[in-house]
Amino acid sequence: MSERGSAQLVDDGSRITIRGDWTLEHISELAALCAQMRKAARSDVALDIEVESRIDTAGASVLLDLVAGDSQRVLTANDATRQLIAAVARAEGVPAPKRKRDAGFLGIVANVGNALEAMWRNTLGLVGFIGLILSSFARSALRPSQWRTTSTVAHIEQTGLNATPIVALLCFLVGAVVAFLGAVVLQDFGASVFTVELVGYSFLREFGVLLTAIMVAGRSGSAFTAQIGSMKAREEIDAIRTLGLQPVDVLVMPRVIALLVSLPILTLVGMLAGIIGGAVVCVATLDISPLMFFTRLQETTSIRHFWVGMSKAPLFAFLIAAIGCMEGFKVSGSAESVGTHTTSSVVQSIFVVILVDALAAVFFLEIDL
């Protein structure tokens, strides 16, 4: 009879008595001991666990490995130990999940279908949320006592006044780049002076409102999602409902109205900054005086281009605010969910802004504006 550690091997090799602590802290010693026992014991050896022995899932796994996973060959008078051995045996008996084969072309088609289905669901959700905003606006429009002026003014400051420097700087730099590229290309045709029209048309019709909307989507739209999402995670929205208030009236309407006010003003700032950036490049590289630049801009650029650009600003503002607030209400409660929906808000807002801008460009082209 040989004895080592906390187990004893009976002479005939058909029965092993287990005693002591069979726990995780001794796992390396226990594994070595069982490896030695497996060489000396018969293939049908049984284990007898003493009542006083301490055993956890790690020790039970080692013992089951000794009897080839057959829990029926593990004997004990302790009910808790018997249940533990049986639970570990069932867990180890579950086969590992097989990795799904790559379906190749069918997998690509399935992924495309899933993406289209998700896009369709998001579109329906956005349409429903827009309807909810419009119904809330119609309900409170004739009730000045329900207007949340303080909250609206605070959001106008955050989304409009605080965003003015970055919008002006971005549009100024893009205007300078557009003017420089236009001057380089048109110079080969002896038409460098037409850079003035290029800068004017591009910023009045497209770049002014588009760049501003993209900046607002990344700055204010994401902030709306994070703010409402954090409130959802802290159950503050449930508290608002408990007070008998509508979250759309309290949280969404001030943000929508603030963006409807701020984005057209920021668009005007972006148009002016872009034109000034183009004027600086024209003055520096084309020997066009500032007076000549603005005189030619006034003579050759119709006011309708300005109104085409400004007409898109309220629509972009409404869509950005709606998407940002809607994604905030989708937050499930964790910090990861807040980050996921904030990212989704920015991506959806920019995508929708560019899509609507493309459709608007086609529409105004067809009606000759």
Side-chain angles (χ1 to χ4, degrees):
M1 180 172 62
S2 63
E3 188 175 327
R4 180 178 180 183
S6 55
Q8 184 178 8
L9 181 60
V10 182
D11 290 341
D12 60 4
S14 63
R15 190 180 188 85
I16 298 177
T17 302
I18 304 297
R19 63 167 60 94
D21 293 342
W22 287 70
T23 56
L24 180 62
E25 55 184 337
H26 307 299
I27 191 65
S28 58
E29 301 173 5
L30 299 176
L33 180 60
C34 287
Q36 179 184 354
M37 290 179 177
R38 191 180 300 108
K39 296 177 182 179
R42 289 164 40 181
S43 59
D44 59 345
V45 66
L47 304 181
D48 185 8
I49 303 177
E50 294 186 347
V51 177
E52 296 82 4
S53 299
R54 293 177 60 245
I55 184 170
D56 61 7
T57 55
S61 179
V62 173
L63 291 177
L64 287 170
D65 185 57
L66 184 60
V67 294
D70 186 3
S71 60
Q72 300 298 325
R73 290 157 56 187
V74 182
L75 309 176
T76 178
N78 191 320
D79 291 338
T81 302
R82 186 184 305 109
Q83 294 174 5
L84 177 64
I85 294 292
V88 173
R90 287 195 301 270
E92 293 185 347
V94 177
K98 295 182 179 179
R99 181 180 179 272
K100 292 184 178 180
R101 292 182 55 193
D102 188 3
F105 177 74
L106 293 179
I108 296 175
V109 174
N111 290 334
V112 172
N114 292 333
L116 292 176
E117 183 184 5
M119 182 181 298
W120 177 248
R121 288 198 304 268
N122 288 336
T123 302
L124 292 180
L126 178 59
V127 171
F129 193 74
I130 289 175
L132 187 63
I133 294 175
L134 293 177
S135 65
S136 177
F137 181 79
R139 185 174 59 250
S140 60
L142 301 178
R143 300 177 181 176
S145 60
Q146 295 183 358
W147 296 353
R148 301 187 177 275
T149 308
T150 303
S151 178
T152 302
V153 172
H155 286 299
I156 290 175
E157 179 184 4
Q158 294 173 3
T159 60
L161 183 62
N162 295 344
T164 301
I166 186 63
V167 170
L169 177 61
L170 176 66
C171 291
F172 177 86
L173 296 176
V174 174
V177 171
V178 170
F180 179 76
L181 293 177
V184 171
V185 173
L186 294 174
Q187 191 172 16
D188 297 336
F189 302 95
S192 299
V193 70
F194 289 103
T195 305
V196 177
E197 285 88 333
L198 175 64
V199 173
Y201 288 174
S202 61
F203 270 88
L204 291 178
R205 291 184 70 98
E206 298 294 337
F207 284 166
V209 64
L210 189 60
L211 291 175
T212 302
I214 291 174
M215 283 297 300
V216 170
R219 185 181 181 277
S220 301
S222 60
F224 291 170
T225 304
Q227 291 165 0
I228 296 178
S230 299
M231 296 179 68
K232 180 79 176 294
R234 294 194 297 264
E235 300 181 353
E236 295 180 22
I237 295 179
D238 295 333
I240 291 175
R241 291 192 178 97
T242 303
L243 295 174
L245 302 175
Q246 293 294 330
V248 176
D249 297 339
V250 178
L251 301 177
V252 178
M253 292 305 300
R255 289 172 168 82
V256 172
I257 295 174
L259 218 55
L260 286 172
V261 174
S262 300
L263 190 56
I265 298 175
L266 290 175
T267 299
L268 177 61
V269 172
M271 290 177 178
L272 295 176
I275 291 174
I276 292 174
V280 170
V281 171
C282 289
V283 170
T285 61
L286 300 179
D287 294 331
I288 298 177
S289 66
L291 179 60
M292 178 181 177
F293 180 92
F294 288 105
T295 300
R296 183 174 179 83
L297 180 66
Q298 181 181 6
E299 292 175 350
T300 60
T301 305
S302 173
I303 190 64
R304 62 188 174 89
H305 300 301
F306 169 77
W307 291 117
V308 166
M310 290 298 295
S311 66
K312 294 182 283 189
L315 179 59
F316 290 167
F318 184 82
L319 291 174
I320 292 170
I323 293 174
C325 294
M326 181 185 69
E327 289 297 317
F329 282 108
K330 289 182 180 179
V331 172
S332 60
S334 63
E336 181 181 3
S337 180
V338 174
T340 300
H341 286 286
T342 300
T343 303
S344 177
S345 169
V346 175
V347 173
Q348 290 185 48
S349 298
I350 294 176
F351 173 78
V352 170
V353 163
I354 294 177
L355 177 63
V356 173
D357 184 73
L359 296 176
V362 174
F363 172 76
F364 287 123
L365 181 64
E366 289 296 327
I367 64 175
D368 197 22
L369 276 180

